[in-house]
Amino acid sequence: MNPTSALFAEPPMMGELRASGALTGTTAQFDTPRGSGLLERTSSFNDWREARTRHGMWQYARSLEGAPLPIASVCAENGDKVRGINFASQDYLSLSMHPGVMEAAMRALRDYGPHSAGSPVLLGNTRMSLALEQAISELLQMDHVVLFPTGWGAAFGALAALVRRDDHVVIDALAHMSLRQGATVATENVVTVKHLNLESLRDALSRIRHQDTANAILVVTEGLFSMDSDSPDLTASQALCNEYNATLLVDVAHDLGAMGPGGTGAIGTQSMLGRVDLVMGSFSKSFASNGGFLATHSMAVKQFVKMFGGTHMFSNALSPVQAAVVLEACSVIASREGDELRESLMRNVGALRGELACEGLRCLGDPSPLVPVLIGPEDVSRLAGRLLFDRSVLVNQVEFPAVPIQASRMRMQVMADHTERQARHAARKLRKAVDDAQSMLQSAPAACPL
Ligand SMILES: Cc1ncc(COP(=O)(O)O)c(C=O)c1O
């Protein structure tokens, strides 16, 4: 056990743990509280969160005490500290401490200061942000790019700007919350289709077009789904959109930079560069910063989204440092060094998936920087996540609303700078944590020493 981690230093009383409610329940129970007290009615959720926090089962509020490196120091909400193997950061290409990226950040800080001091339409742009639009446009072979302060802002802003009340959004069941919330804000006509299922997509498109030829349809999917590590058939999806006079939007937040020829992601892998209607993404994974973008071939779409997607016009532009970092990351991503980083990343991914399989654990999807390990029940997952933290292995334990209830998983995120040894160590520790969690739960309500 890590000496600085105290929560489970004493044998946890499983009866007490169970009685606290920390092992049961999901956020689904709390998202629509009733009552006239707008503020007061938030308290039942917080009571549950506090019970989980008291028992070290609230995995959401940990903080890094340094850079997101493969070995990292992390502080939990209660002050417990752990230094361990980090499979919980999404710096896929390990660019956050890359010398060229650091130098670009420091140069921008020196020349521009830290503040963009305005939205992009009100003097918030810099030479770097304009060059960044160009770099993304070249990477994706799309003519125009709009920048946003976050990937969330890009998803939400694109949908809010382009989709009108009478239009339709057809969205993959596992699409990211930013896309789903953007869709729901834009229209009530949101149809969810089965994950990656082209028949389900065709059915939805044909049903909508049968009833409504007057309004638009936006089909929304992702290049790489982060909770399942899988990708849609983009060629077939775009062809279906063309057939039914619909528009395709692909969110490439997780694959752009990290995968595909020259870092072009699933779109590049599937030879669809420049052939998808709308591409949006985030700089928060492989580009070592924050920010997001929408790419299009149409100047009219670009200008419309800038004006009517609130998150571009009414939110401060990327800071000069963020713009410079992403710009430098783009040039690494497109270079020979970028190829080598992707090779190293995928070697580590292969090693981790291989080790997890040897341990009898089930990884979902295809090889990508995201390795989701299916656990299932929330109680096993929460307890195993806490044990792993105590044993100095950092992973993201994921549950509803990010994934369905009873389909909890450990989402491991691999970086280029990980080693095969770290992969082996983490897989063994994960196996042991799951086994220990299961036997602790079975032995309840007796006291269970670690
Ligand atoms: C698929 C997807 N889209 C959009 C976003 C939002 O990106 P950002 O973190 O830049 O706000 C994320 C981030 O988790 C994501 O996974």
Side-chain angles (χ1 to χ4, degrees), residues 72 151 177 190 240 255 283 307 311 356 378 391:
M177 191 64 88
V190 179
L240 277 176
D255 49 314
F283 302 135
M307 183 56 66
T311 48
L356 289 163
E378 285 76 17
R391 296 166 186 179

Side-chain angles (χ1 to χ4, degrees), residues 257-272:
M259 300 177 74
T264 52
I267 294 181
T269 303
Q270 297 188 31
S271 305
M272 286 295 286

Side-chain angles (χ1 to χ4, degrees), residues 163-404:
V163 178
R164 304 267 63 87
R165 284 263 156 257
D166 292 334
D167 293 336
H168 307 262
V169 174
V170 177
I171 188 163
D172 187 285
L174 299 190
H176 191 256
M177 191 64 88
S178 54
L179 298 159
R180 284 193 272 154
Q181 286 199 357
T184 340
V185 162
T187 176
E188 284 179 4
N189 306 327
V190 179
V191 176
T192 301
V193 288
K194 285 187 200 151
H195 181 52
L196 305 187
N197 189 312
L198 289 169
E199 273 319 300
S200 180
L201 177 58
R202 178 184 284 283
D203 285 351
L205 289 173
S206 123
R207 207 165 351 98
I208 294 167
R209 270 291 168 248
H210 195 64
Q211 293 161 0
D212 182 359
T213 50
N215 294 293
I217 309 175
L218 181 66
V219 172
V220 177
T221 189
E222 296 182 19
L224 172 67
F225 284 86
S226 71
M227 296 300 169
D228 284 45
S229 189
D230 51 13
S231 301
D233 181 334
L234 294 173
T235 311
S237 303
Q238 183 64 66
L240 277 176
C241 287
N242 297 347
E243 187 180 335
Y244 289 95
N245 186 24
T247 299
L248 180 64
L249 181 147
V250 181
D251 178 346
V252 295
H254 287 276
D255 49 314
L256 191 69
M259 300 177 74
T264 52
I267 294 181
T269 303
Q270 297 188 31
S271 305
M272 286 295 286
L273 277 176
R275 296 167 59 203
V276 169
D277 294 324
L278 295 169
V279 184
M280 63 127 302
S282 162
F283 302 135
S284 64
K285 322 309 179 191
S286 297
F287 295 79
S289 190
N290 287 343
F293 69 86
L294 177 73
T296 165
H297 282 307
S298 158
M299 174 57 102
V301 168
K302 170 174 175 163
Q303 296 303 336
F304 194 87
V305 170
K306 279 171 76 149
M307 183 56 66
F308 299 108
T311 48
H312 176 84
M313 178 147 174
F314 293 99
S315 195
N316 237 38
L318 290 181
S319 82
V321 176
Q322 289 172 327
V325 162
V326 181
L327 185 59
E328 182 61 26
C330 280
S331 93
V332 175
I333 280 166
S335 70
R336 175 74 204 125
E337 184 186 0
D339 292 337
E340 286 163 9
L341 289 169
R342 280 182 291 277
E343 276 161 26
S344 166
L345 169 65
M346 292 314 285
R347 213 173 22 253
N348 295 335
V349 169
L352 181 62
R353 291 181 80 99
E355 296 290 347
L356 289 163
C358 284
E359 296 293 338
L361 291 160
R362 181 170 162 221
C363 302
L364 302 177
D366 307 314
S368 85
L370 296 141
V371 180
V373 185
L374 189 64
I375 307 294
E378 285 76 17
D379 55 357
V380 180
S381 190
R382 283 176 203 165
L383 201 43
R386 175 63 218 206
L387 294 173
L388 265 184
F389 179 79
D390 280 344
R391 296 166 186 179
S392 305
V393 177
L394 307 165
V395 304
N396 288 317
Q397 184 239 320
V398 187
E399 55 182 78
F400 185 87
V403 296

